[in-house]
């Protein structure tokens, strides 16, 4: 099974950028890389996804390594509302399943 | 408007009981899912349901059965509840794109 590896936790200061890393060394050529986040007591929320090229949207940026074995979610200016568990997920191309890992718990300090 | 809703939000019940959790999506999506999030916060897919095709995660006990009365609903029925079924259950939907929309979760506690 394709799996992802993320740090258990990270801390950031408010208004500073945050780089959340993810390793997915067993990724297949057509698996998409997704990021979701889960705020306390809520369901997961889509953040961003990509295949090969870096991606930007209003929430974040996704930087994908050239060999696709790792990626980094970038929050450009962390706010207190960004405190959540961030999941790096591979959407498997053969069955569209999304396999969630343990995620990274991001703490944002004022 | 809530895109994906679940009821109830909390469910406390005794071992051996049968219970259902309801899920509704108003997004017009064709595919719906059920996930289980255990105490260690791991999210695992249980079922996906698309145009009456059910794909089951082979690790899910057959005490769990999804029921879809129409495209907007995918309910989860659980027979003979066990202590280990205590978890948060999330419903989600997908309209064919890359994004899944999750409901707020149902917190099930089996005593």
């Amino acid at each position: 099974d394709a799996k992802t590896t993320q740090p258990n936790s990270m801390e950031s200061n408010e208004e500073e950028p945050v780089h959340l890393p993810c390793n997915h060394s067993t990724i297949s050529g057509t698996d998409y890389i997704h990021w979701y986040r889960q705020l306390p007591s809520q369901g997961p929320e889509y953040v961003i996804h990509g295949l090969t090229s870096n991606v930007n949207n209003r929430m974040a940026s996704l930087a994908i390594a050239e060999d696709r074995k790792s990626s980094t979610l970038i929050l450009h200016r962390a706010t207190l509302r960004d405190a959540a568990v961030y999941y790096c997920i591979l959407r498997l191309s053969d069955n569209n399943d999304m396999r969630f890992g343990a995620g990274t718990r991001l703490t944002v300090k004022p | 408007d809530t895109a994906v809703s679940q009821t109830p939000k909390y469910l406390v019940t005794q071992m051996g009981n049968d219970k259902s959790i309801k899920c509704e999506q108003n997004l017009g999506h064709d595919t719906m899912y059920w996930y289980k999030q255990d105490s260690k916060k791991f999210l695992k897919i249980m079922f996906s349901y698309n145009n009456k095709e059910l794909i089951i995660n082979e690790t899910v006990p057959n005490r769990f059965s999804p029921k879809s009365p129409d495209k907007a609903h995918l309910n989860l029925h659980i027979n003979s509840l066990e202590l280990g079924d205590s978890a948060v259950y999330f419903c989600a939907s997908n309209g064919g794109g890359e994004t899944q929309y999750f409901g707020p979760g149902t917190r099930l506690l089996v005593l």
Side-chain angles (χ1 to χ4, degrees), chain A residues 6-108:
Chain A
Q6 301 175 250
N8 289 335
S9 61
M10 291 184 65
E11 283 189 354
S12 171
N13 293 318
E14 198 175 11
E15 303 292 318
E16 289 185 358
V18 182
H19 290 232
L20 298 164
C22 180
N23 288 321
H24 28 78
S25 58
T26 59
I27 191 171
S28 297
T30 50
D31 293 342
Y32 277 81
I33 302 159
H34 284 244
W35 284 81
Y36 280 70
R37 71 179 186 181
Q38 188 173 19
L39 279 65
S41 300
Q42 295 189 26
E45 172 190 31
Y46 169 82
V47 177
I48 201 166
H49 77 277
L51 183 62
T52 56
S53 303
N54 295 344
V55 184
N56 299 298
N57 67 19
R58 64 174 181 80
M59 289 182 72
S61 295
L62 176 59
I64 301 173
E66 198 167 330
D67 63 5
R68 299 206 335 122
K69 294 186 176 183
S70 65
S71 60
T72 302
L73 179 71
I74 303 166
L75 305 180
H76 296 285
R77 288 179 63 206
T79 70
L80 297 179
R81 288 177 294 180
D82 291 324
V85 178
Y86 286 78
Y87 294 99
C88 169
I89 305 153
L90 297 183
R91 185 180 71 73
L92 307 181
S93 54
D94 56 353
N95 60 11
N96 288 330
D97 268 1
M98 297 222 301
R99 303 293 172 90
F100 284 74
T104 296
R105 181 173 297 279
L106 175 66
T107 302
V108 180

Side-chain angles (χ1 to χ4, degrees), chain B residues 89-104:
Chain B
Y89 291 84
F90 289 99
C91 176
S93 73
N94 175 278
E98 288 295 323
T99 305
Q100 287 192 15
Y101 295 84
F102 284 79

Side-chain angles (χ1 to χ4, degrees), chain B residues 8-10 20 27 30 43 50 52-53 96 103 109:
Chain B
K9 187 172 182 179
Y10 299 96
S20 292
L27 299 167
D30 288 329
L43 261 164
N50 183 341
K52 302 191 178 180
E53 180 189 7
L109 178 61

Side-chain angles (χ1 to χ4, degrees), chain B:
Chain B
D1 284 345
T2 303
V4 182
S5 59
Q6 296 178 227
T7 54
K9 187 172 182 179
Y10 299 96
L11 182 55
V12 181
T13 188
Q14 300 287 330
M15 258 194 325
N17 284 350
D18 302 339
K19 290 292 180 185
S20 292
I21 306 172
K22 295 184 177 180
C23 176
E24 177 181 2
Q25 53 95 3
N26 62 7
L27 299 167
H29 289 170
D30 288 329
T31 305
M32 296 182 72
Y33 308 84
W34 277 104
Y35 288 82
K36 178 182 180 181
Q37 187 170 42
D38 61 23
S39 58
K40 295 183 179 178
K41 304 299 183 184
F42 283 100
L43 261 164
K44 291 185 179 178
I45 190 165
M46 301 176 70
F47 304 100
S48 66
Y49 195 84
N50 183 341
N51 290 329
K52 302 191 178 180
E53 180 189 7
L54 177 64
I55 300 173
I56 303 171
N57 184 323
E58 63 275 8
T59 65
V60 175
N62 58 14
R63 298 181 294 104
F64 290 79
S65 56
K67 298 187 190 305
S68 180
D70 55 59
K71 197 174 82 165
H73 297 83
L74 184 65
N75 303 326
L76 183 64
H77 190 75
I78 315 169
N79 289 328
S80 303
L81 278 156
E82 300 177 358
L83 295 177
D85 297 332
S86 297
V88 183
Y89 291 84
F90 289 99
C91 176
S93 73
N94 175 278
E98 288 295 323
T99 305
Q100 287 192 15
Y101 295 84
F102 284 79
T106 294
R107 286 141 188 85
L108 172 64
L109 178 61
V110 182
L111 302 175

